[in-house]
Amino acid sequence: MDPDQYCQQKAAASGSSFYYSFLFLPEQRRRAITALYAFCREVDDVVDEVSETEAARMKMAWWRAEVERLFAGQANHPVGRALAPMVEAFDLPREHFHEIINGMEMDIDHAGYATFADLETYCWRVASVVGLLSAEIFGYEDAGTREYARDLGMAFQLTNILRDVREDAMRGRIYIPGEELDAYGVKPGELLQPSTPEHVRRLFEAQAQRARTYYDRAFAALPSGDRHAQRSGIIMARIYLTLLDEIERDGYRVLEHRVALTPLRKLWIAWRTARAEARHRRRNKRAA
């Protein structure tokens, strides 16, 4: 398969909510965001699938070198070759790709975070920076869109942390800050138990509310004139907010079972949101 097909397969196989938002983009932007997503999956898989620490570090070093080759026009990996025409077409900053790798490497070095400020650094690297790169690919005119993209990335990551809390704990990683575990009287070992006592439920509710705060901040910062260009981010947000709603309706029982949306439901949300954004754009045009 060619590099674009490789990235397409990587994105589709993941079953991620992000994949459904890509379907409504023009071809070049769709290829670019799919290649970016495939890059993130590749470096994330290093941490999740390579159990030997030194081997994981060597693979991360290889990806750092691949980023340099990518910007020198000499990429080797299919993902690098798919990204090559896109970094120039959308003026994607080299340092952002290195920052993503920095974030993934934190999973090698850190099993937990003492404070939210510590966790925020991690979320910035693995999610907010991806949001900023995505905003460049989607296109914008108002610099305020970067603030929207940064906060939306943070919201996505906080949602993922809540959804995957038990799965991450089983891998030896806890992304809920230690000081917040202490404040709610939750022992780290309780995150491995398939039960949701009241003090754990209240901890998870607080995590969900923080995520919602970042969604609210993101949409408050999104300039109206860039809303159509950034519609893929809006689609992602609607899918993720629906997931957050489901977690809340289920009583935050994320330790007991994985809360997820079906592919058909994600596609329905994506289609419905895309139509709503198209109507919003038409109304704005008529008003203008």
Side-chain angles (χ1 to χ4, degrees), residues 122-143:
Y122 172 77
C123 293
W124 156 259
R125 289 173 169 171
V126 301
S128 290
V129 167
V130 179
L132 291 171
L133 284 168
S134 300
E136 296 294 338
I137 291 170
F138 299 153
Y140 62 89
E141 295 181 1
D142 192 314

Side-chain angles (χ1 to χ4, degrees), residues 87-149:
V87 295
E88 183 175 355
F90 298 104
D91 195 24
L92 304 181
R94 178 192 321 219
E95 60 269 21
H96 283 0
F97 289 92
H98 283 300
E99 193 74 322
I100 293 169
I101 295 173
N102 289 340
M104 301 301 182
E105 281 189 326
M106 291 177 74
D107 281 332
I108 300 174
D109 300 323
H110 297 78
Y113 298 88
T115 67
F116 180 67
D118 297 329
L119 178 67
E120 202 169 21
T121 299
Y122 172 77
C123 293
W124 156 259
R125 289 173 169 171
V126 301
S128 290
V129 167
V130 179
L132 291 171
L133 284 168
S134 300
E136 296 294 338
I137 291 170
F138 299 153
Y140 62 89
E141 295 181 1
D142 192 314
T145 294
R146 292 199 293 268
E147 183 180 346
Y148 147 83

Side-chain angles (χ1 to χ4, degrees), residues 20 23-24 239 262-272:
Y20 296 89
L23 302 175
F24 298 89
I239 293 173
T262 65
L264 184 60
R265 190 173 181 191
K266 291 177 185 177
L267 184 59
W268 166 248
I269 294 168
W271 178 81
R272 186 181 62 193

Side-chain angles (χ1 to χ4, degrees), residues 27 61 147 156-158 176 192 215 218 228 234 278:
E27 182 182 358
E147 183 180 346
F156 290 156
Q157 189 63 24
L158 293 173
I176 296 176
L192 294 168
Y215 285 112
H228 177 71
I234 297 171

Side-chain angles (χ1 to χ4, degrees), residues 12-29:
S14 73
S16 169
S17 301
F18 290 82
Y19 174 73
Y20 296 89
S21 71
F22 303 165
L23 302 175
F24 298 89
L25 287 168
E27 182 182 358
Q28 187 186 30
R29 296 185 193 277

